[in-house]
Amino acid sequence: MNFVEELRWRGMLQDIMPGTEELLIKEQVTAYLGIDPTADSLHIGHLCGVMILRHFQRCGHKPLALIGGATGMIGDPSGKSAERNLLDEETLNHNQACIKNQLAKFLDFESDVPNRAELVNNYDWMKNFSFLDFVREVGKHITVNYMMAKDSVKRRLNGEARDGLSFTEFTYQLLQGYDFLHLYETKGCKLQMGGSDQWGNITTGAELIRRTNGGEVFALTCPLITKADGGKFGKTESGNIWLDARYTSPYKFYQFWLNVSDSDAERYIKIFTSIEKEEIEALIAEHQAAPHLRILQKRLAKEVTVMVHSEEDYNAAVDASNILFGNATSDALRKLDEDTLLAVFEGVPQFEISRDALAEGVKAVDLLVDNAAVFASKGEMRKLVQGGGVSLNKEKLTVFDQVITTADLLDEKYLLVQRGKKNYYLLIAK
């Protein structure tokens, strides 16, 4: 497989240094891509870079995932208008271990193949580097004029940031440049990859290598992913979409991909899956013939959810979706864990009811009119029950005065009431 060609048709190639494609065709290449360890989970904003490493390994090359333990303690000014919070060593170590576990789902770190992936941390080679040694060995090779010419620096100096650019951040490109030099000398790394906002930092590294030992290295970047409407990819009202189920449940993760627009789904299925070109083209044609079936979104959501979580989590997310939008049974509802139940019914009206009253038993008509205002009157409820329009925990309510007890609670805490086809209410026993 031709790696550059693979990125090109997938829409994952922005900038490429002359000679890069020829090098990759000629030999097995070691390349690295940096990941900022500011949290103990990656989010989907990292996924394009991770997929580049995945494709790189699939094409027979050796990927290095670089955790920026040292640079994470400083903060990269690229694309930012404010200085980062600085992390302590214990936090960085914890974040690195968590990120490696996530990357292991995408990359082969364990086998004996020559292109086995490696995780490296720039803190390991920076922690004993004194300031004096750094300015002598690295700083003297790159002029301030060269560093000032970088777009990320110019933007910050021209008023994008309220407080300007600190010296700490100004040195960032030298630190990242030294990473490239170190990996070139110790791992034979000839290629650095990253997002297009990193182009300035990457070329500083290439220039540093050229000036220190005359070596020739290469670079390529992927475009920053956006939504069709120009909005920021991966950001929702509730924040980032994380890869860790503790922060974004598999159900919410699945729903994110399922709800992307048609034009975004066409781009994202190329970028965020490993499906081959011919199959993707067939899926796009099938989708365009019947857009209402949302074929692209369903396949995209499946591929990414299985890759990041598991087949089991994907199936549970589909079952959970059917509870809200399909004809799921009470059995499927009872299988949901509490987090997924709350995620599925986020935003529906909620009422608190008395657990003590339920222990003695409450007539449904009293519960849903007096205790929780699901119905305006008992007459309205009686009429809707007679017409088969009321369900409790996904089972039709056949008599309006059926007695409800704690035995009916989901997760020993919740009752789900459905009025008509689309109106849900969550009752919480306290």
Side-chain angles (χ1 to χ4, degrees):
M1 287 169 65
N2 180 320
F3 174 64
V4 173
E5 194 48 51
E6 185 77 7
L7 294 192
R8 200 172 272 133
W9 78 259
R10 289 184 182 274
M12 297 170 76
L13 189 65
Q14 176 92 7
D15 305 295
I16 182 165
M17 211 176 265
T20 304
E21 189 166 5
E22 292 76 5
L23 174 78
L24 288 160
I25 291 168
K26 188 176 69 175
E27 60 188 73
Q28 185 189 94
V29 176
T30 299
Y32 91 91
L33 182 139
I35 295 167
D36 192 354
T38 45
D40 64 357
S41 172
L42 302 173
H43 53 74
I44 59 173
H46 292 106
L47 260 187
C48 184
V50 173
M51 290 304 294
I52 283 178
L53 288 174
R54 181 180 172 92
H55 292 310
F56 192 69
Q57 190 170 40
R58 287 175 66 229
C59 290
H61 301 291
K62 183 178 177 69
L64 305 176
L66 180 139
I67 300 293
T71 37
M73 294 175 101
I74 289 175
D76 175 10
S78 304
K80 310 294 184 301
S81 57
E83 184 151 354
R84 293 280 184 87
N85 291 329
L86 310 185
L87 304 177
D88 59 59
E89 190 174 348
E90 186 183 347
T91 305
L92 285 165
N93 288 337
H94 167 73
N95 292 357
Q96 175 180 331
C98 295
I99 288 169
K100 182 172 183 185
N101 286 338
Q102 291 183 331
L103 289 174
K105 294 185 175 183
F106 299 85
L107 301 170
D108 172 13
F109 287 101
E110 302 301 329
S111 75
D112 295 327
V113 294
N115 67 327
R116 180 178 75 248
E118 284 185 50
L119 190 79
V120 293
N121 183 347
N122 60 13
Y123 186 71
D124 293 337
W125 55 85
M126 291 305 304
K127 62 184 174 186
N128 296 320
F129 211 153
S130 77
F131 179 72
L132 288 176
D133 286 339
F134 188 78
V135 292
R136 273 168 56 92
E137 294 176 29
V138 180
K140 69 177 183 181
H141 293 289
I142 301 292
T143 66
V144 170
N145 309 54
Y146 181 87
M147 295 170 73
M148 295 280 283
K150 299 295 180 184
D151 284 343
S152 60
V153 174
K154 281 198 287 193
R155 280 198 300 270
R156 289 289 293 275
L157 290 175
N158 291 341
E160 237 185 52
R162 194 172 60 246
D163 302 321
L165 179 70
S166 72
F167 174 75
T168 307
E169 290 183 293
F170 183 59
T171 59
Y172 187 94
Q173 61 174 291
L174 277 185
L175 288 169
Q176 186 170 329
Y178 182 73
D179 289 342
F180 202 176
L181 174 61
H182 177 83
L183 292 173
Y184 174 74
E185 291 178 341
T186 59
K187 303 275 187 189
C189 178
K190 293 182 181 178
L191 174 64
Q192 185 181 168
M193 307 184 290
S196 57
D197 61 332
Q198 294 295 312
W199 184 251
N201 292 334
I202 293 172
T203 52
T204 296
E207 184 66 10
L208 181 62
I209 290 167
R210 187 185 70 77
R211 292 186 186 186
T212 50
N213 58 32
E216 187 181 20
V217 291
F218 300 88
L220 64 82
T221 63
C222 62
L224 295 181
I225 310 302
T226 57
K227 294 192 289 189
D229 62 8
K232 189 166 184 182
F233 166 73
K235 286 283 186 186
T236 65
E237 286 176 18
S238 54
N240 283 322
I241 303 294
W242 298 94
L243 272 53
D244 191 315
R246 291 174 302 162
Y247 305 134
T248 300
S249 69
Y251 169 77
K252 275 192 169 179
F253 186 86
Y254 167 78
Q255 284 291 323
F256 171 82
W257 299 100
L258 195 64
N259 290 316
V260 301
S261 68
D262 288 354
S263 57
D264 283 339
E266 274 195 34
R267 290 187 304 127
Y268 295 170
I269 201 162
K270 296 174 186 174
I271 295 168
F272 299 111
T273 77
S274 297
I275 303 172
E276 300 297 342
K277 186 176 184 179
E278 293 73 17
E279 189 178 354
I280 284 180
E281 287 172 349
L283 284 167
I284 290 172
E286 198 180 343
H287 178 91
Q288 288 173 344
H292 63 285
L293 297 178
R294 299 180 71 76
I295 289 162
L296 278 181
Q297 284 92 338
K298 287 176 182 175
R299 182 63 184 277
L300 171 68
K302 177 180 182 177
E303 292 287 326
V304 186
T305 305
V306 169
M307 183 168 59
V308 169
H309 294 290
S310 68
E311 186 98 33
E312 190 181 4
D313 286 325
Y314 160 73
N315 290 330
V318 173
D319 290 344
S321 298
N322 288 336
I323 287 165
L324 197 53
F325 307 112
N327 300 311
T329 63
S330 61
D331 287 343
L333 181 64
R334 289 181 184 279
K335 282 180 190 171
L336 293 188
D337 60 78
E338 185 177 9
D339 288 344
T340 306
L341 176 76
L342 292 174
V344 171
F345 295 103
E346 184 180 37
V348 308
Q350 297 184 359
F351 299 100
E352 284 187 16
I353 54 174
S354 164
R355 179 180 288 278
D356 292 341
L358 282 182
E360 297 174 14
V362 183
K363 288 181 181 178
V365 66
D366 296 332
L367 183 70
L368 302 181
V369 177
D370 299 335
N371 302 49
V374 174
F375 295 93
S377 68
K378 294 183 179 181
E380 181 196 9
M381 179 180 166
R382 182 186 288 115
K383 193 181 294 183
L384 206 56
V385 168
Q386 287 169 349
V390 181
S391 295
L392 179 72
N393 297 340
K394 280 291 179 179
E395 288 183 348
K396 284 267 189 284
L397 208 59
T398 51
V399 288
F400 76 98
D401 58 355
Q402 177 180 320
V403 175
I404 313 296
T405 70
T406 49
D408 294 301
L409 291 172
L410 303 167
D411 286 321
E412 300 180 3
K413 193 174 180 183
Y414 304 99
L415 291 171
L416 180 70
V417 180
Q418 188 175 355
R419 192 183 82 188
K421 281 191 173 180
K422 295 181 178 177
N423 299 305
Y424 287 95
Y425 304 85
L426 196 62
L427 277 54
I428 305 168
K430 291 193 173 178

mmCIF file with all atom_site columns, all heavy atoms in Angstrom, residues 273-287:
data_model
loop_
_atom_site.group_PDB
_atom_site.id
_atom_site.type_symbol
_atom_site.label_atom_id
_atom_site.label_alt_id
_atom_site.label_comp_id
_atom_site.label_asym_id
_atom_site.label_entity_id
_atom_site.label_seq_id
_atom_site.pdbx_PDB_ins_code
_atom_site.Cartn_x
_atom_site.Cartn_y
_atom_site.Cartn_z
_atom_site.occupancy
_atom_site.B_iso_or_equiv
_atom_site.pdbx_formal_charge
_atom_site.auth_seq_id
_atom_site.auth_comp_id
_atom_site.auth_asym_id
_atom_site.auth_atom_id
_atom_site.pdbx_PDB_model_num
ATOM 1   N N   . THR A 1 273 ? -12.241 5.540  9.611  1.00 0.00 ? 273 THR A N   1
ATOM 2   C CA  . THR A 1 273 ? -12.342 4.082  9.540  1.00 0.00 ? 273 THR A CA  1
ATOM 3   C C   . THR A 1 273 ? -11.225 3.548  8.650  1.00 0.00 ? 273 THR A C   1
ATOM 4   O O   . THR A 1 273 ? -10.539 4.322  7.976  1.00 0.00 ? 273 THR A O   1
ATOM 5   C CB  . THR A 1 273 ? -13.692 3.609  8.948  1.00 0.00 ? 273 THR A CB  1
ATOM 6   O OG1 . THR A 1 273 ? -13.676 3.772  7.514  1.00 0.00 ? 273 THR A OG1 1
ATOM 7   C CG2 . THR A 1 273 ? -14.871 4.382  9.535  1.00 0.00 ? 273 THR A CG2 1
ATOM 8   N N   . SER A 1 274 ? -11.072 2.233  8.644  1.00 0.00 ? 274 SER A N   1
ATOM 9   C CA  . SER A 1 274 ? -10.084 1.589  7.759  1.00 0.00 ? 274 SER A CA  1
ATOM 10  C C   . SER A 1 274 ? -10.768 0.889  6.591  1.00 0.00 ? 274 SER A C   1
ATOM 11  O O   . SER A 1 274 ? -10.159 0.055  5.914  1.00 0.00 ? 274 SER A O   1
ATOM 12  C CB  . SER A 1 274 ? -9.252  0.582  8.564  1.00 0.00 ? 274 SER A CB  1
ATOM 13  O OG  . SER A 1 274 ? -8.526  1.244  9.574  1.00 0.00 ? 274 SER A OG  1
ATOM 14  N N   . ILE A 1 275 ? -12.037 1.203  6.353  1.00 0.00 ? 275 ILE A N   1
ATOM 15  C CA  . ILE A 1 275 ? -12.759 0.584  5.235  1.00 0.00 ? 275 ILE A CA  1
ATOM 16  C C   . ILE A 1 275 ? -12.060 0.961  3.926  1.00 0.00 ? 275 ILE A C   1
ATOM 17  O O   . ILE A 1 275 ? -11.635 2.104  3.745  1.00 0.00 ? 275 ILE A O   1
ATOM 18  C CB  . ILE A 1 275 ? -14.237 1.053  5.201  1.00 0.00 ? 275 ILE A CB  1
ATOM 19  C CG1 . ILE A 1 275 ? -14.928 0.749  6.528  1.00 0.00 ? 275 ILE A CG1 1
ATOM 20  C CG2 . ILE A 1 275 ? -14.994 0.383  4.054  1.00 0.00 ? 275 ILE A CG2 1
ATOM 21  C CD1 . ILE A 1 275 ? -16.323 1.337  6.644  1.00 0.00 ? 275 ILE A CD1 1
ATOM 22  N N   . GLU A 1 276 ? -11.955 -0.017 3.010  1.00 0.00 ? 276 GLU A N   1
ATOM 23  C CA  . GLU A 1 276 ? -11.243 0.214  1.747  1.00 0.00 ? 276 GLU A CA  1
ATOM 24  C C   . GLU A 1 276 ? -12.042 1.124  0.814  1.00 0.00 ? 276 GLU A C   1
ATOM 25  O O   . GLU A 1 276 ? -13.256 1.265  0.934  1.00 0.00 ? 276 GLU A O   1
ATOM 26  C CB  . GLU A 1 276 ? -10.949 -1.128 1.058  1.00 0.00 ? 276 GLU A CB  1
ATOM 27  C CG  . GLU A 1 276 ? -10.084 -2.083 1.878  1.00 0.00 ? 276 GLU A CG  1
ATOM 28  C CD  . GLU A 1 276 ? -8.685  -1.537 2.159  1.00 0.00 ? 276 GLU A CD  1
ATOM 29  O OE1 . GLU A 1 276 ? -8.242  -0.604 1.457  1.00 0.00 ? 276 GLU A OE1 1
ATOM 30  O OE2 . GLU A 1 276 ? -8.037  -2.039 3.098  1.00 0.00 ? 276 GLU A OE2 1
ATOM 31  N N   . LYS A 1 277 ? -11.327 1.680  -0.152 1.00 0.00 ? 277 LYS A N   1
ATOM 32  C CA  . LYS A 1 277 ? -11.878 2.701  -1.054 1.00 0.00 ? 277 LYS A CA  1
ATOM 33  C C   . LYS A 1 277 ? -13.123 2.213  -1.803 1.00 0.00 ? 277 LYS A C   1
ATOM 34  O O   . LYS A 1 277 ? -14.142 2.912  -1.861 1.00 0.00 ? 277 LYS A O   1
ATOM 35  C CB  . LYS A 1 277 ? -10.790 3.116  -2.064 1.00 0.00 ? 277 LYS A CB  1
ATOM 36  C CG  . LYS A 1 277 ? -11.188 4.278  -2.952 1.00 0.00 ? 277 LYS A CG  1
ATOM 37  C CD  . LYS A 1 277 ? -10.023 4.683  -3.852 1.00 0.00 ? 277 LYS A CD  1
ATOM 38  C CE  . LYS A 1 277 ? -10.384 5.909  -4.688 1.00 0.00 ? 277 LYS A CE  1
ATOM 39  N NZ  . LYS A 1 277 ? -9.271  6.331  -5.552 1.00 0.00 ? 277 LYS A NZ  1
ATOM 40  N N   . GLU A 1 278 ? -13.040 1.004  -2.399 1.00 0.00 ? 278 GLU A N   1
ATOM 41  C CA  . GLU A 1 278 ? -14.155 0.518  -3.214 1.00 0.00 ? 278 GLU A CA  1
ATOM 42  C C   . GLU A 1 278 ? -15.429 0.368  -2.388 1.00 0.00 ? 278 GLU A C   1
ATOM 43  O O   . GLU A 1 278 ? -16.520 0.723  -2.831 1.00 0.00 ? 278 GLU A O   1
ATOM 44  C CB  . GLU A 1 278 ? -13.805 -0.841 -3.861 1.00 0.00 ? 278 GLU A CB  1
ATOM 45  C CG  . GLU A 1 278 ? -12.709 -0.789 -4.908 1.00 0.00 ? 278 GLU A CG  1
ATOM 46  C CD  . GLU A 1 278 ? -11.313 -0.584 -4.315 1.00 0.00 ? 278 GLU A CD  1
ATOM 47  O OE1 . GLU A 1 278 ? -11.125 -0.806 -3.081 1.00 0.00 ? 278 GLU A OE1 1
ATOM 48  O OE2 . GLU A 1 278 ? -10.410 -0.169 -5.079 1.00 0.00 ? 278 GLU A OE2 1
ATOM 49  N N   . GLU A 1 279 ? -15.269 -0.136 -1.161 1.00 0.00 ? 279 GLU A N   1
ATOM 50  C CA  . GLU A 1 279 ? -16.440 -0.329 -0.313 1.00 0.00 ? 279 GLU A CA  1
ATOM 51  C C   . GLU A 1 279 ? -17.027 1.013  0.115  1.00 0.00 ? 279 GLU A C   1
ATOM 52  O O   . GLU A 1 279 ? -18.251 1.179  0.161  1.00 0.00 ? 279 GLU A O   1
ATOM 53  C CB  . GLU A 1 279 ? -16.082 -1.172 0.923  1.00 0.00 ? 279 GLU A CB  1
ATOM 54  C CG  . GLU A 1 279 ? -17.311 -1.575 1.712  1.00 0.00 ? 279 GLU A CG  1
ATOM 55  C CD  . GLU A 1 279 ? -17.009 -2.461 2.916  1.00 0.00 ? 279 GLU A CD  1
ATOM 56  O OE1 . GLU A 1 279 ? -15.853 -2.873 3.091  1.00 0.00 ? 279 GLU A OE1 1
ATOM 57  O OE2 . GLU A 1 279 ? -17.952 -2.723 3.691  1.00 0.00 ? 279 GLU A OE2 1
ATOM 58  N N   . ILE A 1 280 ? -16.169 1.979  0.419  1.00 0.00 ? 280 ILE A N   1
ATOM 59  C CA  . ILE A 1 280 ? -16.660 3.303  0.801  1.00 0.00 ? 280 ILE A CA  1
ATOM 60  C C   . ILE A 1 280 ? -17.414 3.948  -0.360 1.00 0.00 ? 280 ILE A C   1
ATOM 61  O O   . ILE A 1 280 ? -18.492 4.530  -0.176 1.00 0.00 ? 280 ILE A O   1
ATOM 62  C CB  . ILE A 1 280 ? -15.499 4.210  1.279  1.00 0.00 ? 280 ILE A CB  1
ATOM 63  C CG1 . ILE A 1 280 ? -15.071 3.798  2.692  1.00 0.00 ? 280 ILE A CG1 1
ATOM 64  C CG2 . ILE A 1 280 ? -15.914 5.686  1.273  1.00 0.00 ? 280 ILE A CG2 1
ATOM 65  C CD1 . ILE A 1 280 ? -13.934 4.607  3.276  1.00 0.00 ? 280 ILE A CD1 1
ATOM 66  N N   . GLU A 1 281 ? -16.874 3.827  -1.565 1.00 0.00 ? 281 GLU A N   1
ATOM 67  C CA  . GLU A 1 281 ? -17.557 4.400  -2.737 1.00 0.00 ? 281 GLU A CA  1
ATOM 68  C C   . GLU A 1 281 ? -18.929 3.761  -2.940 1.00 0.00 ? 281 GLU A C   1
ATOM 69  O O   . GLU A 1 281 ? -19.905 4.439  -3.272 1.00 0.00 ? 281 GLU A O   1
ATOM 70  C CB  . GLU A 1 281 ? -16.677 4.224  -3.984 1.00 0.00 ? 281 GLU A CB  1
ATOM 71  C CG  . GLU A 1 281 ? -15.466 5.175  -3.982 1.00 0.00 ? 281 GLU A CG  1
ATOM 72  C CD  . GLU A 1 281 ? -14.467 4.883  -5.100 1.00 0.00 ? 281 GLU A CD  1
ATOM 73  O OE1 . GLU A 1 281 ? -14.596 3.816  -5.752 1.00 0.00 ? 281 GLU A OE1 1
ATOM 74  O OE2 . GLU A 1 281 ? -13.572 5.721  -5.312 1.00 0.00 ? 281 GLU A OE2 1
ATOM 75  N N   . ALA A 1 282 ? -19.008 2.442  -2.710 1.00 0.00 ? 282 ALA A N   1
ATOM 76  C CA  . ALA A 1 282 ? -20.295 1.738  -2.842 1.00 0.00 ? 282 ALA A CA  1
ATOM 77  C C   . ALA A 1 282 ? -21.271 2.212  -1.761 1.00 0.00 ? 282 ALA A C   1
ATOM 78  O O   . ALA A 1 282 ? -22.464 2.415  -2.032 1.00 0.00 ? 282 ALA A O   1
ATOM 79  C CB  . ALA A 1 282 ? -20.074 0.232  -2.740 1.00 0.00 ? 282 ALA A CB  1
ATOM 80  N N   . LEU A 1 283 ? -20.767 2.408  -0.546 1.00 0.00 ? 283 LEU A N   1
ATOM 81  C CA  . LEU A 1 283 ? -21.625 2.887  0.555  1.00 0.00 ? 283 LEU A CA  1
ATOM 82  C C   . LEU A 1 283 ? -22.152 4.290  0.270  1.00 0.00 ? 283 LEU A C   1
ATOM 83  O O   . LEU A 1 283 ? -23.324 4.589  0.527  1.00 0.00 ? 283 LEU A O   1
ATOM 84  C CB  . LEU A 1 283 ? -20.832 2.896  1.870  1.00 0.00 ? 283 LEU A CB  1
ATOM 85  C CG  . LEU A 1 283 ? -20.596 1.556  2.558  1.00 0.00 ? 283 LEU A CG  1
ATOM 86  C CD1 . LEU A 1 283 ? -19.536 1.691  3.645  1.00 0.00 ? 283 LEU A CD1 1
ATOM 87  C CD2 . LEU A 1 283 ? -21.892 1.009  3.158  1.00 0.00 ? 283 LEU A CD2 1
ATOM 88  N N   . ILE A 1 284 ? -21.283 5.156  -0.279 1.00 0.00 ? 284 ILE A N   1
ATOM 89  C CA  . ILE A 1 284 ? -21.695 6.531  -0.598 1.00 0.00 ? 284 ILE A CA  1
ATOM 90  C C   . ILE A 1 284 ? -22.789 6.518  -1.672 1.00 0.00 ? 284 ILE A C   1
ATOM 91  O O   . ILE A 1 284 ? -23.803 7.222  -1.561 1.00 0.00 ? 284 ILE A O   1
ATOM 92  C CB  . ILE A 1 284 ? -20.481 7.379  -1.038 1.00 0.00 ? 284 ILE A CB  1
ATOM 93  C CG1 . ILE A 1 284 ? -19.562 7.646  0.169  1.00 0.00 ? 284 ILE A CG1 1
ATOM 94  C CG2 . ILE A 1 284 ? -20.931 8.708  -1.651 1.00 0.00 ? 284 ILE A CG2 1
ATOM 95  C CD1 . ILE A 1 284 ? -18.235 8.301  -0.189 1.00 0.00 ? 284 ILE A CD1 1
ATOM 96  N N   . ALA A 1 285 ? -22.602 5.678  -2.693 1.00 0.00 ? 285 ALA A N   1
ATOM 97  C CA  . ALA A 1 285 ? -23.603 5.583  -3.776 1.00 0.00 ? 285 ALA A CA  1
ATOM 98  C C   . ALA A 1 285 ? -24.932 5.069  -3.225 1.00 0.00 ? 285 ALA A C   1
ATOM 99  O O   . ALA A 1 285 ? -26.011 5.590  -3.553 1.00 0.00 ? 285 ALA A O   1
ATOM 100 C CB  . ALA A 1 285 ? -23.085 4.657  -4.876 1.00 0.00 ? 285 ALA A CB  1
ATOM 101 N N   . GLU A 1 286 ? -24.856 4.071  -2.358 1.00 0.00 ? 286 GLU A N   1
ATOM 102 C CA  . GLU A 1 286 ? -26.058 3.488  -1.745 1.00 0.00 ? 286 GLU A CA  1
ATOM 103 C C   . GLU A 1 286 ? -26.765 4.540  -0.883 1.00 0.00 ? 286 GLU A C   1
ATOM 104 O O   . GLU A 1 286 ? -27.992 4.665  -0.901 1.00 0.00 ? 286 GLU A O   1
ATOM 105 C CB  . GLU A 1 286 ? -25.628 2.296  -0.879 1.00 0.00 ? 286 GLU A CB  1
ATOM 106 C CG  . GLU A 1 286 ? -26.746 1.341  -0.527 1.00 0.00 ? 286 GLU A CG  1
ATOM 107 C CD  . GLU A 1 286 ? -26.254 0.171  0.332  1.00 0.00 ? 286 GLU A CD  1
ATOM 108 O OE1 . GLU A 1 286 ? -25.031 -0.078 0.376  1.00 0.00 ? 286 GLU A OE1 1
ATOM 109 O OE2 . GLU A 1 286 ? -27.106 -0.462 0.971  1.00 0.00 ? 286 GLU A OE2 1
ATOM 110 N N   . HIS A 1 287 ? -25.977 5.313  -0.156 1.00 0.00 ? 287 HIS A N   1
ATOM 111 C CA  . HIS A 1 287 ? -26.538 6.355  0.709  1.00 0.00 ? 287 HIS A CA  1
ATOM 112 C C   . HIS A 1 287 ? -27.221 7.442  -0.123 1.00 0.00 ? 287 HIS A C   1
ATOM 113 O O   . HIS A 1 287 ? -28.319 7.890  0.217  1.00 0.00 ? 287 HIS A O   1
ATOM 114 C CB  . HIS A 1 287 ? -25.430 6.970  1.563  1.00 0.00 ? 287 HIS A CB  1
ATOM 115 C CG  . HIS A 1 287 ? -25.909 8.080  2.457  1.00 0.00 ? 287 HIS A CG  1
ATOM 116 N ND1 . HIS A 1 287 ? -26.355 7.864  3.741  1.00 0.00 ? 287 HIS A ND1 1
ATOM 117 C CD2 . HIS A 1 287 ? -26.045 9.416  2.231  1.00 0.00 ? 287 HIS A CD2 1
ATOM 118 C CE1 . HIS A 1 287 ? -26.735 9.015  4.265  1.00 0.00 ? 287 HIS A CE1 1
ATOM 119 N NE2 . HIS A 1 287 ? -26.551 9.969  3.381  1.00 0.00 ? 287 HIS A NE2 1
#
